[in-house]
Amino acid sequence: MPWPENPKLIGTRIPRLDGMIKATGKAKYPSDEHPEGMLFGVMLYSPVPHAKIKTLDLKPAEAMPGVKAVIGIVKEGGLVRYHGDDIAAVAAETEEQARDAVRAIKVEYEILPHVATEPQAMADGAPEVVRGGNVKKGRATSVGDADAGLAKADAVVEMTLNVPVITHVCLETHGLTARWDSKEKITAWASTQAVGATAAELAGRFNIPVGDVTVLTEVMGGGFGSKFGADVWGIAAAELAQKAGKPVKMFLDRVQEHLAGGNRPSATAKVKMGATKDGKISGMIAETYGTGGISRGAQFPLPYVYAVADNKRTHSDVFLNGGNARAMRAPGHPQGCLIMESVVDELADKLGMDPMEFRLKNLAPNDFRTGIYEAQVAIGAEEIGWKNRKARGQSSKGPIKTGYGMALHQWGGGAAPDKQVTCIINPDGSVEVRSATQDIGTGARTILAIIAAELLGLKVTDIKSNIGNSTFPPGQASGGSTTTPSMSPPCFAAVSAARDALFKKIAPGLNAEPGDLSLADGKVLVKGEAKLDWKDACRKLGMMPINELGKFEEGLSSVGVAGCQFAEVSVDIETGVVTLKKIVAVQDSGLIIDKLTWESQVYGGVIGGLNYGRFEERVMDPTTGVMLNADMELYKLAGASDMPVIVVKAYETPEMKARGVIGIGEPPTIGTAAAIGNAVANAIGVRVANWPMTPINVLNALASAKS
Amino acid sequence: MTDQDPKSRSGSSRRDFLRGSSLAAATAVLTGPAQVALDEATGAEPEVKVLTGEVSLTLKVNGEEKTCKVEPRSTLLDTLRHRLDITGPKRVCDRASCGACTAIVDGVPVYSCTTLAVTCTGKTIETLESFGTDANSVPHAFHQADGLMCGYCTPGFVTACKAFLDKNPNPTLDEVKKGLDGNICRCGTYMGVLEAALAAAKAMKGA
């Protein structure tokens, strides 16, 4: 069944259903919940990067005022492997008491040598974070003959680029509020991107049926890929609640959020790439590494976007004493994009070719995205004023240099074809769609309601979009831009089935066949003529609501998008300060359900990429091994004054719409930092090889170019 | 010299402030590493007495007198959220960097995460739960312009925006940006926020 050809609601600008409760402070986030008798949980986490726990004495904490339960998480003799690693947890009547009690816990650390930075971790004889050495080589990849490709190049560039680890900085920290409803039944209000997985994790840990676990996430304060389970602290909250016989709220403090709540791995790439005079990339050799702290996860795609027939690559994951990496908005792609796009830009310059023209010449010949890129680049170039771009370093004479840069990106996404939605039409005319998915700020709740309202001829506000409850039919986790394409088809199916069931019930009373009925503007129509109000029609159901389950259907959603971004910057070469003037994002994502929340996602992606390009950096102290900026003043994020003009262009042709629904969370955040880096290089005539584009990195690049 | 001058000698020094027995509330906060560091720096044995008791406190919040028990070190934010179940203001950075906790005290927007509750007696405290919601209101403008996504920074932005517009009813875009620079959003909703602020300014004039 296809999407409606002439939709009334789909594709229009519809304010999100939960917008007003959020904007009035009335929305209850998991961290706002306060079940009767609730205690406050606080974590004790490691102040040192690497140590053996010689002794752990919880008794002093147990004796502190207001304390109801204390648990150890690491055992005596066990290890803490990074600043922020979990040690113990306390629940007390007030949060102040819980913090005092955590401080009263006596820990004797046997300090072990640490490695906190990639150079430390990779040095000869470095202390081992994992057995067998800190550098884990991945499988080398080779396509064609890279050396021969480079040998026939007319221009070759070789460069090393770095981008640091960044952290998710979810504004609502990780955590949950846990309440045991009986000895074997638990309710958890969790700040999660996956109510289902969180319920399964709790059920497994406490050995109870998953049906006796209810995870609720009505709203939540940001995840960006870092909140897919209950986590150590969530389990600790439930354990403390069990021990104390009272509900426990446990949310990380801001410091531990930075340290343990996840991060995007760093990337370092030494790349050699060549091209022939006609502007074709002829070969590429790349050696790359990155760190995900104590975990793997630093792999990223390279080559990226462009066709490089002859290439070879090695990659290593570097382990160090830092919190473990978690998926972060388009995992791997921002790193791969900014590395590839910097080298491509350099190579175009060396060939004396317009970097846009060079990019278009190197798109993959047999990829469906190629035509999309060509159309998008034309739109973006016009919007940014690419024709005003001067050759590299040819900006005005004074200290303020202006420049333009661009980047292409891509993402897969697509649907998980096994999710379900229930649609309920009640005799009072109210309509509910239910699924165990959740809205992490993307607008998922509103999208389900739009689909239902479209099919039932109702207003979006007439639909109760009931999600964020793990006991509902299985729904998609919010990640990888998969939620909308996974959930829209079963929603479409459920609502269609409910509508058809309603038609079947009421058709006889209207002396009509079910096939004669349709719905529009809150009315039931017979052969196109309005006969009955929606509510009157539903009243004919008597006591029995309609309750239909929808499953995935092919043809309503799709996978794979392209996008391009352009940046215009000015750089003060005396201070190194980069000022963004304008960013243009051109993006496709198939059929857009809600243009308003779609645009917000693209703006948000661009601003996330802007942060990555200009500000963000986890700073580790090599000497002490601790993170120096685990806060929100020295860990820099853009504020309102940092906003340039941002122009978002939906690439939404009839062909794009015909593809069906595709997710939009990841793609628009990928290319921004790359485009900014290229604009800076264009402005100042020197490649800034180290991200972010901070004054010190810009000035260092200028200084090393002079010397 | 004014009392805003960090080098002022006329008022209490930082150490006097920390050690003054009349300011026990502040010393009580420093029972952890900061106190140890301070003692090491001064070579002194700890002289301060840690207060852990609770005091009864009456606050006027959103037009209602509310009584609760807090410790002298409890922040206004934690008191609102934990004791009074007023959870609009959010705890995010917990050290006056991000603005999610913004409340209006005696007409002035403050970071409630770094305001002690005991300093707020006798003052008028407003949180966004008390704001109007009609078509000319700030919350309405945020909703319509989609100036929010996950919504966790939103209470702070809405509150800061309301306080800003009350004082600056005809702002330019640049003035709005500066006026809201004390708040941080991670989802990246600034475009909607700025649009909402300008729309609210316009609507409030028409009201």
Side-chain angles (χ1 to χ4, degrees):
Chain A
M1 243 190 297
W3 290 103
E5 260 179 48
N6 298 302
K8 286 196 165 167
L9 299 170
I10 289 173
T12 64
R13 305 173 66 81
I14 296 169
R16 62 186 69 221
L17 278 183
D18 48 15
M20 265 317 257
I21 59 161
K22 286 178 173 178
T24 52
K26 287 169 186 141
K28 284 285 179 192
Y29 289 76
S31 54
D32 296 332
E33 292 294 340
H34 199 137
E36 172 114 33
M38 187 189 82
L39 306 174
F40 291 83
V42 171
M43 299 294 294
L44 172 64
Y45 50 86
S46 176
V48 294
H50 196 196
K52 189 172 173 182
I53 303 295
K54 277 167 77 180
T55 63
L56 174 64
D57 186 2
L58 305 176
K59 285 205 184 66
E62 285 161 356
M64 293 287 281
V67 172
K68 299 294 174 195
V70 184
I71 57 168
I73 292 169
V74 62
K75 291 197 166 55
E76 287 188 350
L79 290 176
V80 284
R81 297 203 294 158
Y82 59 93
H83 174 211
D85 207 350
D86 307 290
I87 295 175
V90 169
E93 283 173 346
T94 71
E95 194 175 14
E96 291 86 348
Q97 289 170 333
R99 291 197 185 287
D100 287 345
V102 155
R103 282 194 285 262
I105 294 172
K106 286 212 159 37
V107 192
E108 254 187 290
Y109 301 95
E110 180 187 331
I111 301 294
L112 301 171
H114 67 263
V115 288
T117 64
E118 293 91 322
Q120 276 185 323
M122 297 170 83
D124 286 339
E128 288 192 350
V129 179
V130 284
R131 227 171 261 158
N134 298 329
V135 180
K136 301 288 183 216
K137 281 202 186 331
R139 199 148 48 96
T141 54
S142 183
V143 179
D145 187 339
D147 295 300
L150 285 170
K152 70 178 179 195
D154 297 303
V156 174
V157 294
E158 190 166 3
M159 56 203 293
T160 300
L161 298 146
N162 293 291
V163 64
V165 171
I166 69 168
T167 70
H168 292 71
V169 200
C170 306
L171 293 198
E172 181 177 43
T173 60
H174 286 64
L176 55 78
T177 302
R179 181 185 68 196
W180 289 91
D181 303 314
S182 71
K183 277 202 167 146
E184 291 173 337
K185 248 183 144 170
I186 188 169
T187 299
W189 292 266
S191 187
T192 182
Q193 297 175 238
V195 288
T198 303
E201 193 179 339
L202 286 166
R205 166 60 187 79
F206 293 98
N207 199 23
I208 52 177
V210 73
D212 288 336
V213 181
T214 304
V215 171
L216 300 172
T217 307
E218 183 72 15
V219 289
M220 58 84 78
F224 313 104
S226 68
K227 289 181 177 169
F228 285 110
D231 282 319
V232 172
W233 39 82
I235 298 291
E239 262 189 67
L240 289 166
Q242 197 175 42
K243 205 168 168 183
K246 288 182 169 187
V248 171
K249 169 150 68 186
M250 173 76 80
F251 283 80
L252 301 187
D253 66 17
R254 179 52 51 191
V255 178
Q256 201 188 7
E257 177 70 19
H258 276 290
L259 302 173
N263 57 70
R264 174 186 288 167
S266 62
T268 296
K270 189 178 164 201
V271 186
K272 191 173 180 184
M273 189 155 74
T276 47
K277 263 187 296 206
D278 60 351
K280 288 275 191 186
I281 299 172
S282 61
M284 174 179 181
I285 297 174
E287 294 167 33
T288 67
Y289 65 83
T291 185
I294 58 163
S295 66
R296 276 190 182 270
Q299 179 61 277
F300 55 87
L302 193 74
Y304 189 66
V305 172
Y306 305 100
V308 186
D310 297 293
N311 74 83
K312 62 181 177 186
R313 177 176 178 202
T314 58
H315 175 81
S316 301
D317 270 42
V318 176
F319 286 72
L320 52 72
N321 296 107
N324 61 306
R326 295 185 174 197
M328 184 171 186
R329 220 167 169 178
H333 282 234
Q335 297 99 308
C337 182
L338 65 77
I339 286 163
M340 188 74 186
E341 286 288 7
S342 298
V343 183
V344 162
D345 225 52
E346 287 290 308
L347 197 49
D349 268 325
K350 195 150 186 187
L351 280 171
M353 192 174 273
D354 181 317
M356 178 184 334
E357 193 192 329
F358 183 66
R359 283 179 168 85
L360 294 173
K361 274 178 187 280
N362 286 287
L363 295 172
N366 298 317
D367 192 319
F368 74 94
R369 290 188 179 91
T370 294
I372 303 176
Y373 280 131
E374 286 166 349
Q376 289 176 339
V377 165
I379 295 167
E382 175 71 24
E383 183 60 45
I384 197 79
W386 188 259
K387 62 181 186 299
N388 300 322
R389 176 187 176 277
K390 297 199 173 74
R392 171 187 259 211
Q394 301 299 308
S395 177
S396 58
K397 287 222 165 81
I400 309 291
K401 309 292 189 189
T402 57
Y404 295 85
M406 64 176 290
L408 308 188
H409 57 250
Q410 57 187 232
W411 185 251
D418 55 0
K419 299 301 182 280
Q420 303 175 357
V421 173
T422 292
C423 178
I424 300 165
I425 299 175
N426 288 303
D428 66 358
S430 62
V431 178
E432 189 188 336
V433 285
R434 283 187 181 181
S435 184
T437 186
Q438 53 286 309
D439 191 334
I440 65 168
T442 54
R445 170 176 284 112
T446 309
I447 277 167
L448 297 183
I450 291 171
I451 292 167
E454 181 78 53
L455 295 177
L456 299 177
L458 298 172
K459 295 197 290 276
V460 179
T461 46
D462 291 334
I463 312 295
K464 169 83 177 159
S465 192
N466 215 344
I467 57 174
N469 183 327
S470 64
T471 67
F472 288 166
Q476 180 70 345
S478 303
S481 300
T482 63
T483 322
T484 305
S486 301
M487 299 310 302
S488 297
C491 181
F492 182 97
V495 177
S496 300
R499 177 198 57 201
D500 293 348
L502 177 72
F503 285 171
K504 210 173 155 190
K505 282 250 182 186
I506 63 174
L510 293 164
N511 297 319
E513 293 298 317
D516 296 335
L517 305 191
S518 61
L519 298 166
D521 303 322
K523 307 259 191 227
V524 178
L525 287 63
V526 179
K527 292 185 177 167
E529 200 182 320
K531 289 281 186 200
L532 204 55
D533 279 344
W534 169 261
K535 282 200 173 178
D536 293 331
C538 295
R539 209 165 286 137
K540 296 188 186 301
L541 294 170
M543 297 297 287
M544 193 60 191
I546 287 168
N547 190 334
E548 293 287 338
L549 184 73
K551 293 189 177 179
F552 189 79
E553 288 183 10
E554 293 291 342
L556 294 167
S557 59
S558 190
V559 58
V561 298
C564 67
Q565 295 196 7
F566 291 77
E568 182 188 358
V569 306
S570 69
V571 185
D572 183 335
I573 56 166
E574 289 178 349
T575 63
V577 170
V578 173
T579 304
L580 295 176
K581 297 170 87 169
K582 186 172 180 178
I583 294 176
V584 176
V586 189
Q587 187 64 53
D588 75 275
S589 73
L591 175 72
I592 295 168
I593 304 275
D594 183 347
K595 189 60 82 57
L596 184 62
T597 55
W598 185 90
E599 280 179 3
S600 290
Q601 287 259 70
V602 181
Y603 282 129
V606 166
I607 291 165
L610 176 167
N611 279 321
Y612 195 42
R614 280 201 60 201
F615 299 115
E616 287 188 73
E617 181 168 18
R618 182 183 78 178
V619 181
M620 301 294 280
D621 178 22
T623 308
T624 61
V626 305
M627 179 177 172
L628 295 174
N629 58 342
D631 52 45
M632 288 180 71
E633 58 265 33
L634 295 175
Y635 189 98
K636 296 289 185 193
L637 292 171
S641 286
D642 298 307
M643 289 304 116
V645 173
I646 302 177
V647 177
V648 168
K649 295 266 183 192
Y651 182 68
E652 203 192 13
T653 61
E655 294 77 35
M656 291 296 106
K657 286 188 183 183
R659 302 183 66 201
V661 175
I662 309 180
I664 191 60
E666 335 289 308
T669 204
I670 298 170
T672 321
I676 292 169
N678 287 337
V680 169
N682 176 240
I684 66 175
V686 173
R687 173 65 49 181
V688 181
N690 296 319
W691 266 266
M693 298 289 126
T694 52
I696 190 70
N697 284 340
V698 171
L699 291 175
N700 281 342
L702 285 163
S704 64
K706 256 187 204 163
S707 61
Chain B
M1 283 191 177
T2 71
D3 57 3
Q4 298 295 317
D5 184 343
K7 288 181 181 162
S8 169
R9 293 279 159 220
S10 58
S12 302
S13 75
R14 180 173 161 77
R15 189 173 304 165
D16 290 342
F17 175 76
L18 292 171
R19 290 178 172 269
S21 58
S22 65
L23 290 165
T27 66
V29 178
L30 297 172
T31 53
Q35 183 64 53
V36 173
L38 186 68
D39 291 336
E40 279 171 5
T42 57
E45 289 298 310
E47 295 168 13
V48 292
K49 194 180 164 204
V50 176
L51 296 184
T52 55
E54 293 192 318
V55 296
S56 187
L57 188 69
T58 300
L59 295 175
K60 192 173 177 193
V61 189
N62 297 335
E64 277 181 59
E65 300 263 339
K66 290 180 180 278
T67 299
C68 60
K69 286 194 167 169
V70 298
E71 293 192 44
R73 59 176 159 166
S74 300
T75 64
L76 174 60
L77 176 66
D78 290 353
T79 304
L80 291 171
R81 289 178 57 81
H82 299 341
R83 267 72 168 195
L84 303 177
D85 201 31
I86 295 169
T87 56
K90 300 291 187 259
R91 185 159 85 192
V92 173
C93 70
D94 212 17
R95 52 195 284 178
S97 322
C98 80
C101 64
T102 305
I104 301 176
V105 178
D106 279 350
V108 178
V110 301
Y111 289 141
S112 66
C113 73
T114 42
T115 303
L116 291 176
V118 292
T119 66
C120 296
T121 52
K123 296 182 179 175
T124 302
I125 301 160
E126 294 167 79
T127 70
L128 78 161
E129 284 99 324
S130 69
F131 296 174
T133 56
D134 64 21
N136 301 320
S137 67
V138 174
H140 178 80
F142 271 71
H143 181 213
Q144 292 301 308
D146 209 36
L148 53 94
M149 290 182 75
C150 86
Y152 213 69
C153 72
T154 309
F157 268 106
V158 167
T159 308
C161 186
K162 166 90 162 46
F164 172 76
L165 293 178
D166 284 346
K167 292 230 158 64
N168 305 274
N170 296 300
T172 62
L173 176 60
D174 279 345
E175 286 165 352
V176 171
K177 284 183 178 178
K178 287 204 170 61
L180 299 181
D181 245 353
N183 294 64
I184 289 174
C185 168
R186 183 49 154 166
C187 297
T189 60
Y190 293 107
M191 295 298 137
V193 166
L194 298 173
E195 188 186 321
L198 291 172
K202 208 169 156 191
M204 285 159 80
K205 259 178 299 187

